[in-house]
Amino acid sequence: MIVTLDGPAGAGKSTAARALAARMGWCYLDTGAMYRSVALVALERGISLDDSAALADLAGTLAIDFRAGRVMVGDRDVSGEIRTERITQATRPVADAPSVRAAMKQLQRRLAEGRDVVTEGRDQGSEVFPWAEVKVFLTASADERARRRHREEAARGVTTSLESVRAAQAQRDEGDRVRPVGAMQPAADAVILETDGLSADEVVERLATLVAGKRPGASPP
Ligand code: C5P
C-alpha cells in the first residue's frame, strides 16, 4: 500500500511520515532527502547548478537509498551533511530541473516497488504515485509553520528572528508552488489535513485512521 504525504515546509510532514511508517512497520521514503543528496554530490563534483543536463546525468546514476532510517548514497551515510543551509539552498535549482525530477520519479517508484510505503514530499500524490491508496496534503497556517520552524531552530542553538524565518519560508513556498514541473499541489483526490492546533500524535492518529479505512488493491499503471 502507498501513502503519500505532501505539503509545504514546516507542516510537520517528516515527523508524521516517519511516525506513521514506524507504527505500520512500513518503509519511509523521504524524497526531499533524495533531492538534497543530488545537490550534495553535485557540489562536491563541481557540477554547475545551472547545468541541468549534467545534474540529470548525476541524478540518474546515484544509488540513493534508505537504510535503517539513514539516507545513503551508495555505502555513504549522508543523513547529516544534506541538512546544512548550504545544501538547502543548492537543492532548489536541482529540484527545479525537469530532467532531474524525471530521474527521481523513476528512482522513487523503484524504491517503492512491492513494498508498503509512506512517502513524503511535494509531488508524491500528484505526480509520482497517482495510484496511491491514501493521499494526504498536510498543511498549517504560515504563522504556525514559521513558529514551529523558529522553535526547532532555537532548540538547535540557531538564533534567528521569527520574522526572518517567516520571510524565508514564504520564499520557499512560492518556489515550490511555481516550479513548472513537479509543483507543490494537492492531488485532486487528496485529503487536506490542516495541522494548526494538532499535536504530532494527533496528526499520526488521523493518518492511521485514513489508512485503516482503505484496502490495498489499486496497482500502478
Ligand atoms: O522537504 P525538504 O525540505 O527536505 O525538501 C528539500 C527540497 O527538495 C525543497 O526545495 C523541495 O522543494 C524539494 N522537493 C521537491 N520534491 C519533493 C520533495 C522535495 O521538489 N518531492
Side-chain angles (χ1 to χ4, degrees):
M1 178 158 171
I2 295 183
V3 177
T4 61
L5 221 55
D6 293 301
K13 294 188 305 287
S14 302
T15 310
R18 194 175 284 117
L20 179 68
R23 175 166 165 163
M24 309 297 295
W26 293 357
C27 301
Y28 163 48
L29 211 60
D30 176 354
T31 63
M34 298 173 74
Y35 286 99
R36 288 170 180 272
S37 298
V38 177
L40 173 73
V41 178
L43 289 185
E44 287 174 348
R45 296 197 186 164
I47 295 173
S48 161
L49 298 177
D50 298 329
D51 187 345
S52 55
L55 289 174
D57 281 349
L58 176 67
T61 53
L62 278 189
I64 304 170
D65 202 356
F66 299 91
R67 261 178 256 156
R70 311 297 295 174
V71 187
M72 308 296 295
V73 175
D75 284 330
R76 175 178 168 204
D77 183 345
V78 297
S79 313
E81 285 167 277
I82 58 171
R83 301 286 163 202
T84 63
E85 188 51 36
R86 179 165 166 264
I87 299 300
T88 300
Q89 300 284 342
T91 304
R92 167 74 45 200
V94 168
D96 279 346
S99 44
V100 171
R101 301 201 72 85
M104 288 295 104
K105 175 154 87 173
Q106 263 190 3
L107 181 55
Q108 288 155 11
R109 287 180 174 176
R110 210 160 59 229
L111 289 172
E113 234 166 56
R115 294 184 170 143
D116 291 315
V117 170
V118 180
T119 180
E120 176 225 322
R122 306 291 189 285
D123 59 346
Q124 298 298 287
S126 53
E127 273 287 324
V128 181
F129 299 105
W131 61 84
E133 287 89 342
V134 177
K135 298 181 189 177
V136 179
F137 193 83
L138 208 64
T139 185
S141 67
D143 278 349
E144 174 71 19
R145 293 189 288 119
R147 271 196 300 272
R148 287 180 191 163
R149 179 57 55 102
H150 187 243
R151 261 201 309 270
E152 279 166 18
E153 294 196 348
R156 281 192 287 129
V158 182
T159 47
T160 38
S161 70
L162 180 59
E163 212 24 71
S164 68
V165 171
R166 201 197 311 263
Q169 176 185 279
Q171 204 180 12
R172 281 183 86 189
D173 285 355
E174 187 56 15
D176 281 346
R177 258 195 302 269
V178 301
R179 174 176 288 140
V181 174
M184 176 180 69
Q185 55 171 346
D189 52 351
V191 172
I192 312 278
L193 181 52
E194 165 82 55
T195 67
D196 280 47
L198 293 180
S199 69
D201 284 348
E202 286 168 331
V203 172
V204 177
E205 211 45 61
R206 298 212 182 179
L207 295 174
T209 304
L210 287 172
V211 170
K214 294 280 173 177
R215 290 235 160 76
S219 45

